[in-house]
Amino acid sequence: MSQDRAVRVDAPTERNNPRTRDIDLLPTLDILHVLNGEDRTVPVAVGRVLPELARTVDMAVTALRAGGRVHYVGAGTSGRLAVLDAAELIPTFNVPPDWIVAHQAGGPDAFRRAVENAEDDVASGAAEIRESASPDDLVIGLAASGRTPFVLAALEAAQQLGAKTALVTSNPDVGQVPADVVIAVDTGPEPISGSTRMKAGTAQKLVLTSFSTAVMIRMGRTYSNLMVSMLATNAKLRGRTIGILQEATSASEEICEAALTASDGDLKTALVHLLTGADVESSAAALAVADGQVREALRALTQ
């Protein structure tokens, strides 16, 4: 057993929640009603930090357009949520796998089970960023308490490199931290004291999903609200590809299938071809000049 000194964390998530006292005496349905009531407070809390989240999105777009990357850094639940969000962007938006990179304290083994003392490993947190980040990058730390040593060390290393930094936390009293933007979602005390996999984790999931989706929209990975950059890796997604073309163009299924075949399966090329009437080669060329942004390609072909 580790003999390291115990640390008491003073954060709202660690405090006792008066609304859930004696929850263990309730019948099952009542337990779930109480937990659901606590969960309902989270989106409202996230809504209060949208200005800070918008600043972080803009920093990410600037970083990616400059050839940089976005790094997520977290421990425990925070790190697992970061890994999940980064992984899902590849099939959803067909992004290069190094656009958004997740760093989990304790490495891949920590995704399935806790790794002892990983979140306290300052040297490892700093090394993760020193070895993989550049001044053009954005590093986003995720820490419910706002005080996770692994995460703060990574942010400090990022600032030393000259990279932009942000921190996502559920502690509005976090104080001075090495972050250009602090996204402090005030989720209050957890239903089960200190269990930040609950409301704090839900807040981080909402923040990450909104952040990455907004970044993808700003980077032209959508057309309207359609996933025109998605990777069709199975039968369901191939069917969705045809549906997206039909939704965007009002063309028949047969016409959309033919356009997709002529475009070698490239959904954006087929879309621009159908919307403008330009041939497939011209559509692909316009997209290349527009860095894959459909609206820019449409403007170029219809001026």
Side-chain angles (χ1 to χ4, degrees), residues 22-41:
D22 295 329
I23 193 173
D24 59 328
L25 300 178
L26 298 177
T28 301
L29 183 57
D30 289 347
I31 289 173
L32 295 173
H33 276 304
V34 170
L35 295 178
N36 182 249
E38 291 296 304
D39 287 341
R40 287 167 183 254
T41 67

Side-chain angles (χ1 to χ4, degrees), residues 149-184:
F150 177 91
V151 174
L152 294 183
L155 291 175
E156 187 171 350
Q159 286 197 331
Q160 290 169 354
L161 285 172
K164 293 293 186 181
T165 56
L167 175 68
V168 180
T169 179
S170 281
N171 185 0
D173 304 319
V174 70
Q176 190 69 30
V177 291
D180 297 304
V181 179
V182 176
I183 303 169

Side-chain angles (χ1 to χ4, degrees), residues 239-302:
R240 183 180 292 167
T241 299
I242 299 297
I244 287 172
L245 275 177
Q246 288 185 271
E247 178 72 26
T249 67
S250 300
S252 68
E253 181 175 343
E254 292 74 22
I255 289 174
C256 290
E257 283 193 79
L260 198 60
T261 299
S263 302
D264 292 327
D266 189 288
L267 175 54
K268 285 185 176 181
T269 299
L271 177 59
V272 172
H273 160 61
L274 289 173
L275 287 175
T276 65
D279 59 42
V280 167
E281 291 75 17
S282 299
S283 298
L287 279 164
V289 171
D291 198 24
Q293 298 202 36
V294 171
R295 294 215 187 256
E296 289 297 323
L298 293 177
R299 273 192 284 268
L301 289 170
T302 56

Side-chain angles (χ1 to χ4, degrees), residues 233-244:
T233 55
N234 57 46
K236 179 188 77 174
L237 295 181
R238 285 189 287 274
R240 183 180 292 167
T241 299
I242 299 297
I244 287 172

Side-chain angles (χ1 to χ4, degrees), residues 195-268:
S195 181
T196 53
R197 59 179 283 276
M198 303 185 79
K199 291 194 298 183
T202 300
Q204 289 179 344
K205 176 68 169 68
L206 290 175
V207 167
L208 284 173
T209 303
S210 294
F211 164 81
S212 57
T213 302
V215 170
M216 294 301 108
I217 292 169
R218 290 286 315 281
M219 293 298 293
R221 312 304 284 193
T222 66
Y223 172 70
S224 184
N225 60 353
L226 301 174
M227 292 191 297
V228 294
S229 299
M230 60 174 278
L231 277 175
T233 55
N234 57 46
K236 179 188 77 174
L237 295 181
R238 285 189 287 274
R240 183 180 292 167
T241 299
I242 299 297
I244 287 172
L245 275 177
Q246 288 185 271
E247 178 72 26
T249 67
S250 300
S252 68
E253 181 175 343
E254 292 74 22
I255 289 174
C256 290
E257 283 193 79
L260 198 60
T261 299
S263 302
D264 292 327
D266 189 288
L267 175 54
K268 285 185 176 181

Side-chain angles (χ1 to χ4, degrees), residues 56-136:
T56 309
V57 168
D58 289 342
M59 289 195 302
V61 171
T62 298
L64 292 173
R65 286 179 176 166
R69 303 193 293 174
V70 175
H71 301 260
Y72 294 155
V73 183
T77 298
S78 300
R80 295 181 189 104
L81 289 170
V83 171
L84 178 64
D85 191 71
E88 289 181 341
L89 295 177
I90 296 173
T92 304
F93 298 106
N94 193 17
V95 301
D98 61 347
W99 263 23
I100 297 185
V101 183
H103 305 269
Q104 166 95 13
D109 290 344
F111 191 70
R112 290 189 172 145
R113 62 183 61 191
V115 173
E116 186 175 4
N117 292 326
E119 73 172 54
D120 296 326
D121 193 342
V122 171
S124 178
E128 282 281 331
I129 295 305
R130 288 199 195 103
E131 294 169 4
S132 62
S134 77
D136 290 328

